[in-house]
Amino acid sequence: MDKSAANLVDFHCHLDLYPNFSDIINECERRKIYTLAVTTTPRAWKKNNELAQSTKYVRAALGLHPQVIHQYHHEVDMLCSMIPQTRYVGEIGLDGSPEYLSCMELQKTVLHKILQTCAREGGRIISLHSRRASKEVLDALEHHSNAGTPILHWFSGTQKDLKRAISIGCWFSVGPSMLESKKGCDLALLIPRDKILTETDGPFTKKNGKPLMPWDSEGAIEKLSLLWDISAEEVRKQVLTNLNTLLKLSNT
Ligand code: MN
C-alpha cells in the first residue's frame, strides 16, 4: 500500500459500532483516510478483518476492551491464538474508573497475557486505553518491552506519566475531544511531534450530539495547528510521515 497517498489518519475508531458500518468503510476508502478499526472483543475482529481485507486504507485491530473484561475475560485465549493473524492489536488496556476497579486484577491478568503473546510473536502495533490507570499500563508495557509499538490513545494521565511513557517508547493518538480541554492540550504539547497520530474514538465521542466520524479527525489537525503554531497542512504532513514511520518499524 502506498501509505503516503492517505489524506488523513484516524488511528482509533470503533467502526463496527456505527449502524452503517460498511458504508463508513467505503467512505474512508473514498476519502483516503487511514483508519484503524479497533475492536472490543476478538469475535468482533473477524468481521472487521474480513471487511478490511479488500481495502487500501482501513485496518482491523484485534481487541478486548478493558471495560468489558468482566464479561469477556474468557475470550483472552481466543484473542491470543489469533494474534499471529494480525499486525494490529487494540483496543486493550486498563480502566481504573470506579465502576471497573473491582475487576482490576482480572484486567491486569488479561493485559499481561496479551502483551506476552505480542512479544512472543515478534511485536505488534498496539492501541491502548489507560483511563485512570496510566501508571499501571506503563508498568505492564515496561515489563513487556518487546510487545511491539504501544500507541496510547486519548492519554489522560499526569504529565509525569506522559514523560515516562515517552521515555519507554510510546506513541500517542490524540483526537478532537482530548484537545478540547486545557489539560489535554497541555499533554499534547509535551508529546514529541514525531510520535503523534490523530484519532476520533468514534462513535463514543460526539460533536453537537452526533458521533464523530473518521473524517472528523481533521478537527485534531486543526487543534494541533493552533497548538504548534504551524499550518494545518504542515501538521497533516507530519502526521502522515509519522504513520509511514510507524508502519515501517521492523519490530511490528
Ligand atoms: Mn476506544
Side-chain angles (χ1 to χ4, degrees), residues 228-244:
W228 292 349
D229 196 23
I230 60 176
S231 73
E233 283 320 299
E234 284 172 286
V235 176
R236 187 189 315 280
K237 234 171 110 185
Q238 177 74 59
V239 169
L240 294 171
T241 301
N242 295 349
L243 175 70
N244 280 319

Side-chain angles (χ1 to χ4, degrees), residues 135-149:
K135 184 192 169 293
E136 291 79 359
V137 168
L138 295 176
D139 289 344
L141 290 173
E142 211 163 49
H143 188 83
H144 301 280
S145 57
N146 295 324
T149 308

Side-chain angles (χ1 to χ4, degrees), residues 12 14 38 65 91 129 153 201 204:
H12 186 107
H14 299 264
V38 294
H65 199 292
E91 176 166 6
H129 177 108
H153 116 81
D201 200 18
F204 293 115

Side-chain angles (χ1 to χ4, degrees), residues 167-187:
S167 76
I168 64 174
C170 289
W171 287 57
F172 302 85
S173 55
V174 307
S177 308
M178 170 175 170
L179 299 173
E180 254 162 35
S181 72
K182 176 162 190 316
K183 183 190 170 185
C185 289
D186 288 346
L187 287 169

Side-chain angles (χ1 to χ4, degrees), residues 47 89 95 148 151-152 173-174 220 224 232 243:
K47 177 81 192 297
V89 170
D95 193 309
I151 295 112
L152 298 178
S173 55
V174 307
L224 288 172
L243 175 70

Side-chain angles (χ1 to χ4, degrees), residues 73-183:
H73 57 93
H74 54 275
E75 291 196 13
V76 67
D77 293 328
M78 186 202 299
L79 185 149
C80 289
S81 74
M82 289 154 77
I83 286 177
Q85 301 173 51
T86 183
R87 203 180 165 201
Y88 307 92
V89 170
E91 176 166 6
I92 63 166
L94 301 174
D95 193 309
S97 308
E99 58 269 50
Y100 306 109
L101 258 188
S102 62
C103 64
M104 183 49 82
E105 284 315 304
L106 197 52
Q107 291 187 50
K108 284 183 183 170
T109 306
V110 166
L111 179 61
H112 278 278
K113 268 195 186 176
I114 297 172
L115 293 177
Q116 198 170 37
T117 310
C118 288
R120 199 173 57 221
E121 295 298 329
R124 291 293 181 270
I125 292 171
I126 310 170
S127 184
L128 290 133
H129 177 108
S130 58
R131 190 166 75 156
R132 295 204 187 192
S134 43
K135 184 192 169 293
E136 291 79 359
V137 168
L138 295 176
D139 289 344
L141 290 173
E142 211 163 49
H143 188 83
H144 301 280
S145 57
N146 295 324
T149 308
I151 295 112
L152 298 178
H153 116 81
W154 196 339
F155 184 83
S156 57
T158 63
Q159 296 198 357
K160 187 176 161 228
D161 284 344
L162 180 79
K163 286 172 189 159
R164 182 177 165 217
I166 294 165
S167 76
I168 64 174
C170 289
W171 287 57
F172 302 85
S173 55
V174 307
S177 308
M178 170 175 170
L179 299 173
E180 254 162 35
S181 72
K182 176 162 190 316
K183 183 190 170 185

